[in-house]
């Protein structure tokens, strides 16, 4: 696990940033999702990796004994996953709406809001 | 008391969501909720102005294990400013939001966004800050797309995408910070960071946070989403965005770079200083090339952010006080300018300055109301912007950072140029008569002039009573630079 997880995180980050730099709207959003997953896994590893040591108090005891897995990062990423899921779904719907309204799927063509109003009206693309 | 600041907008948002079948009530309900928030914010400020730090341990879990809400002077000032803008826009929005949009949840989203902003200002926990960021972002995403014209969708798409990248960076930063320090409570982090011997990882984390908050605050190489999106939102929304959302990023930068990442200010704060200079310059030069009223103002947000970051980067008590003063001045002025742009558009049917004109002749009062915030922004004495700029520049001179002072002064000059451009084109010039464009025939109404006049009055008051306002900024800066009271208030004195 010590070697495996950093590798996975690295692959996810590089794949995510590669996709973020693509021009296709959908790929960019997939890139966001991959980067978010990589970030979540990174938080997970920051709690330290221990197997078969759940942070549960045995029935007869009053306190946790010995070294156990840190439960906080897991609680954090659970929150982050849920938030990330909601926001990514919103981004997907927005991309679909953008495609429906303008027929654009190339991110370089998304520039109407970047130029002056007058120019857009002259081009007739508004 | 702190909790009421969060409960009021949350309850308001829920009531507004549940009554979506009765959109006509929404304006009144929203106004009442905003007024209640304003009162609560004033009460909190009166309690913290003496230097007391209010804390609330959520669910009675002691810090650093639970989530802590902290209201020090900076937080309470930011909360009050948010409440003021929320209140002004609540009145103003009446003319702009029809029953249909209200039924779609305009006011509900507005309250939930304010809820997120208040939370971000009050929290004392890094992960909780991330959650508040997402609360305000998701509400702002929806507000931005509410009209769903194709330009709005485009603007919103850029805004959403870059903010998601910023959030991912934020998460990475949080993860690494937890790995290094084993805690996410800001006070606890400050305590542990001060004791840490190997700071190289902490520096890396600092840079990751700089990128994340830098995107949200719209600083130099990371601001491109702002002028591409802010002008597409409906005007009441744009006014809140312009005044408050980037300032949440600035607030977060000030908080972490004065509390946690201060072990190597030579490194981190020099980067901030360079970024500040470039932000000022590129913002003001970008504004010179624009013809759209709102886009000129959007670029000016960026250049003004530069001054705030400059105050933080110089990192003397006077400079940080200047940054706080600048934020106070800027939030009020910038929101007001957007509101005025909206009034001009409603009368003349365009945001394009080359098509506008004659406003001074027809509506001298409106022209006066524009004059006050615009020339305050440019830094004309005795308006609020003059004192804000003076403080930051004086702080720069004190520690002999002449390069940044030179940039700041030059940018001030260019700001005057930009404001006179709007003034000459929109207010003085005779309106060109063209076939495809004619005035809408609307007149400005009291409902929209009252909030604008109220904010303009505040600008004058800040300018004339610069002493007391500066005193508050100074105390806020002292609290930011002297961590002991903050840490004791959060963690308890015994530790």
């Amino acid at each position: 696990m010590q070697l495996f997880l950093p590798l996975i995180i690295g692959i996810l980050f590089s794949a995510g940033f590669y996709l973020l730099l693509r021009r296709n709207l959908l790929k960019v959003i997939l890139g966001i999702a991959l980067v978010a997953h990589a970030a979540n896994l990174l938080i997970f590893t920051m709690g330290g990796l221990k197997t078969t040591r759940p942070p549960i108090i045995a029935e007869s005891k009053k306190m946790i004994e010995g070294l156990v897995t840190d439960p906080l990062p897991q609680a954090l990423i659970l929150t982050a996953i849920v938030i990330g899921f909601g926001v990514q779904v919103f981004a997907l719907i927005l991309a679909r709406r953008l495609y429906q309204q303008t027929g654009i799927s190339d991110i370089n063509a998304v520039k109407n809001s970047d130029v002056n109003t007058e120019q857009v009206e002259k081009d007739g693309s508004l | 008391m702190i909790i009421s600041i969060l409960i009021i907008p949350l309850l308001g948002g829920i009531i507004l969501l549940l009554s979506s079948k009765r959109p006509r009530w929404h304006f009144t309900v929203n106004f009442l909720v905003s007024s209640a928030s304003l009162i609560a914010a004033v009460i909190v400020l009166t309690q913290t102005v003496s230097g007391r730090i209010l804390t609330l341990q959520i669910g009675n879990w002691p810090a650093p294990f639970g989530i802590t809400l902290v209201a020090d002077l900076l937080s309470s000032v930011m909360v009050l400013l948010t409440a003021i803008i929320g209140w002004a826009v609540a009145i103003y929005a009446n003319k702009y939001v029809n029953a249909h949009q209200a039924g779609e949840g305009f006011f509900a989203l507005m309250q939930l966004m304010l809820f997120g902003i208040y939370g971000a200002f009050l929290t004392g926990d890094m992960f909780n800050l991330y959650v508040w960021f997402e609360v305000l972002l998701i509400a702002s995403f929806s507000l931005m797309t509410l009209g769903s014209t194709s330009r709005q969708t485009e603007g919103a798409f850029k805004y959403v995408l870059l903010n998601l990248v910023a959030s991912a960076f934020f998460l990475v930063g949080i993860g690494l910070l937890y790995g290094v320090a084993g805690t996410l409570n800001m006070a606890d982090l400050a305590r542990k960071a001060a004791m840490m011997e190997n700071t190289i990882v902490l520096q890396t984390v600092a840079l990751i946070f700089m990128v994340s908050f830098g995107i949200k605050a719209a600083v130099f190489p990371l601001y491109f989403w702002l002028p591409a999106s802010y002008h597409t939102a409906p005007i009441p929304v744009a006014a809140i965005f312009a005044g408050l959302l980037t300032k949440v990023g600035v607030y977060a930068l000030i908080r972490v770079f004065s509390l946690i990442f201060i072990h190597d200010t030579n490194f981190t704060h020099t980067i901030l200083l360079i970024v500040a200079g470039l932000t000022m310059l590129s913002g003001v030069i970008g504004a010179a090339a624009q013809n759209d009223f709102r886009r000129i103002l959007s670029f000016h947000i960026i250049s003004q952010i530069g001054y705030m970051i400059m105050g933080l980067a110089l990192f003397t008590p006077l400079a940080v006080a200047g940054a706080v003063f600048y934020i106070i001045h800027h939030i009020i002025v910038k929101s007001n300018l957007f509101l005025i742009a909206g009034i001009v558009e409603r009368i003349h049917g365009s945001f394009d300055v080359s098509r506008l004109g004659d406003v001074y002749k027809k509506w001298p009062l409106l022209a006066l109301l524009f004059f006050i915030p615009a020339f305050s922004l440019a830094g004309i004495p005795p308006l609020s912007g003059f004192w804000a700029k003076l403080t930051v520049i004086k702080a720069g001179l004190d520690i002999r950072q002449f390069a940044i002072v030179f940039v700041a002064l030059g940018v001030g000059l260019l700001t005057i140029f930009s404001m006179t451009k709007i003034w000459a084109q929109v207010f003085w010039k005779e309106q060109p008569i063209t076939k495809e464009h004619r005035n809408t025939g609307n007149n400005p109404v009291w409902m929209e002039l009252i909030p604008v006049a109220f904010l303009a009055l505040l600008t004058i008051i800040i300018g004339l009573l610069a002493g007391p306002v500066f005193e508050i900024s100074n105390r806020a800066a002292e609290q930011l630079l002297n961590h002991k009271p903050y840490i004791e208030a959060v963690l308890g004195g015994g530790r």
Side-chain angles (χ1 to χ4, degrees):
Chain A
M1 283 297 268
Q2 296 273 351
L3 201 66
F4 179 67
L5 267 178
L7 267 177
I8 290 285
I9 295 169
I11 292 170
L12 276 177
F13 265 126
S14 41
F17 279 111
Y18 175 71
L19 284 176
L20 271 178
L21 298 174
R22 300 298 296 270
R23 283 165 57 179
N24 187 305
L25 288 185
L26 199 62
K27 285 181 183 156
V28 171
I29 291 170
L30 286 176
I32 294 265
L34 287 189
V35 171
H37 284 315
N40 289 339
L41 275 181
L42 184 106
I43 296 179
F44 177 68
T45 57
M46 283 299 142
L49 297 170
K50 297 182 197 69
T51 46
T52 66
R53 283 266 174 204
I56 295 171
I57 304 169
E59 227 171 278
S60 52
K61 307 272 167 50
K62 281 201 167 153
M63 289 170 70
I64 287 181
E65 286 177 354
L67 280 174
V68 290
T69 308
D70 187 352
L72 187 71
Q74 305 188 16
L76 296 184
I77 53 175
L78 202 58
T79 319
I81 288 172
V82 175
I83 293 175
F85 178 70
V87 183
Q88 283 152 25
V89 167
F90 184 87
L92 263 180
I93 293 172
L94 198 63
R96 181 167 173 273
R97 168 68 66 77
L98 186 62
Y99 182 69
Q100 277 180 336
Q101 283 181 332
T102 58
I104 294 171
S105 65
D106 180 348
I107 209 149
N108 275 6
V110 188
K111 59 186 177 193
N112 274 344
S113 69
D114 251 335
V115 290
N116 281 326
T117 334
E118 211 179 342
Q119 283 164 307
V120 177
E121 280 167 15
K122 262 184 214 150
D123 298 345
S125 51
L126 190 69
Chain B
M1 195 60 226
I2 304 180
I3 198 73
S4 65
I5 287 185
L6 296 177
I7 295 282
I8 292 167
L10 178 63
L11 271 183
I14 291 172
I15 293 170
L16 288 164
L17 273 180
L18 291 179
S19 63
S20 62
K21 294 265 167 61
R22 296 196 168 71
R24 275 182 210 162
W25 297 1
H26 277 202
F27 172 72
T28 322
V29 173
N30 185 53
F31 176 72
L32 291 176
V33 173
S34 305
S35 309
S37 291
L38 188 57
I39 293 168
V42 170
I43 293 173
V44 166
L45 185 64
T46 53
Q47 289 179 357
T48 55
V49 79
S50 59
R52 214 174 120 215
I53 296 174
L54 302 177
T55 56
L56 179 76
Q57 316 285 359
I58 302 278
N60 261 342
W61 291 96
F65 305 110
I67 292 167
T68 316
L69 297 182
V70 191
D72 65 353
L73 196 47
L74 177 65
S75 296
S76 0
V77 166
M78 298 301 285
V79 163
L80 178 63
L81 289 166
T82 311
I84 288 173
I85 300 300
W87 187 79
V89 170
I91 303 175
Y92 183 90
N94 187 35
K95 198 69 204 167
Y96 287 80
V97 182
N98 53 35
H100 175 67
Q101 282 167 317
E104 276 182 333
F106 182 92
F107 289 117
L109 286 167
M110 195 79 108
Q111 283 304 333
L112 292 175
M113 184 167 77
L114 290 173
F115 171 59
I117 297 175
Y118 291 132
F121 288 149
L122 286 175
T123 185
D125 182 279
M126 287 310 273
F127 192 79
N128 198 230
L129 182 64
Y130 164 77
V131 175
W132 287 118
F133 266 149
E134 298 300 307
V135 170
L136 75 90
L137 278 180
I138 195 85
S140 71
F141 294 166
S142 321
L143 274 175
M144 196 169 236
T145 50
L146 211 56
S148 60
T149 62
S150 69
R151 285 188 96 199
Q152 260 182 322
T153 318
E154 274 194 20
F157 188 73
K158 293 169 188 171
Y159 174 72
V160 169
L161 223 52
L162 276 164
N163 270 298
L164 291 189
V165 174
S167 298
F169 270 103
F170 194 0
L171 268 184
V172 171
I174 288 173
L176 292 174
L177 200 55
Y178 185 75
V180 185
T183 179
L184 288 173
N185 184 292
M186 289 182 198
D188 205 21
L189 276 171
R191 204 168 54 96
K192 289 199 169 133
M195 292 188 295
M196 216 170 277
E197 281 175 9
N198 183 7
T199 55
I200 207 80
V201 187
L202 212 56
Q203 259 177 44
T204 319
V205 181
L207 291 184
I208 290 175
F209 275 108
M210 207 188 280
V211 171
S212 165
F213 295 152
I215 294 179
K216 288 180 201 286
V219 298
F220 165 61
L222 310 164
Y223 64 71
F224 293 97
W225 56 271
L226 190 148
S229 62
Y230 270 21
H231 66 108
T232 61
I235 272 291
V237 176
I240 289 199
F241 281 18
L244 296 172
L245 286 200
T246 47
K247 257 54 77 189
V248 180
V250 175
Y251 165 83
L253 274 175
I254 291 183
R255 184 62 83 194
V256 299
F257 281 95
S258 70
L259 189 63
I260 304 168
F261 304 121
I262 44 159
H263 40 271
D264 192 3
T265 46
N266 262 343
F267 176 63
T268 47
H269 288 62
T270 308
I271 296 181
L272 280 175
L273 196 65
I274 296 166
V275 162
L278 291 170
T279 308
M280 282 184 228
L281 254 171
S282 51
V284 86
I285 292 172
Q290 304 303 320
N291 271 325
D292 186 312
F293 205 148
R294 293 164 301 175
R295 277 174 68 82
I296 298 177
L297 295 178
S298 298
F299 270 101
H300 274 293
I301 300 175
I302 297 166
S303 85
Q304 306 290 310
I305 297 272
Y307 285 95
M308 301 166 204
I309 306 293
M310 173 181 158
L312 170 65
L314 293 173
F315 211 58
T316 61
L318 183 67
V320 177
V324 176
F325 196 114
Y326 216 105
I327 293 176
I328 299 175
H329 140 76
H330 178 84
I331 288 180
I332 289 170
V333 161
K334 186 55 81 176
S335 299
N336 202 7
L337 285 172
F338 266 84
L339 296 180
I340 294 166
I343 299 180
V344 171
E345 195 268 349
R346 215 175 56 76
I347 303 169
H348 287 280
S350 175
F351 281 113
D352 191 333
V353 291
S354 61
R355 292 185 187 174
L356 294 168
D358 273 347
V359 177
Y360 178 65
K361 204 161 83 189
K362 286 183 193 153
W363 317 105
L365 177 66
L366 187 59
L368 175 72
L369 289 176
F370 171 79
F371 185 87
I372 294 166
F375 287 86
S376 170
L377 189 78
I380 306 282
L383 295 160
S384 59
F386 170 71
W387 303 109
K389 279 203 174 74
L390 183 73
T391 319
V392 187
I393 287 171
K394 166 103 178 19
L397 287 175
D398 281 352
I399 52 168
R400 310 179 70 77
Q401 293 280 3
F402 296 121
I404 192 81
V405 169
F406 182 71
V407 172
L409 288 172
V411 168
L413 212 60
L414 287 169
T415 311
I416 300 183
F417 162 72
S418 243
M419 288 301 125
T420 27
K421 176 175 163 184
I422 298 183
W423 177 256
Q425 295 261 14
V426 178
F427 291 87
W428 261 354
K429 181 187 70 179
E430 219 170 283
Q431 191 173 18
I433 297 162
T434 49
K435 256 185 283 171
E436 72 265 35
H437 177 75
R438 66 174 71 101
N439 290 344
T440 54
N442 291 330
N443 296 337
V445 293
W446 285 112
M447 210 58 143
E448 54 192 17
L449 285 178
I450 287 171
V452 168
F454 169 69
L455 292 178
L457 191 69
L458 278 181
T459 311
I460 296 177
I461 291 175
I462 295 175
L464 295 182
L465 293 179
V469 180
F470 180 74
E471 184 52 39
I472 291 179
S473 321
N474 217 359
R475 273 191 217 164
E478 264 166 37
Q479 274 185 356
L480 284 172
L481 297 176
N482 179 15
H483 304 151
K484 212 159 162 257
Y486 184 88
I487 294 173
E488 274 174 10
V490 175
L491 297 176
R495 295 176 62 108

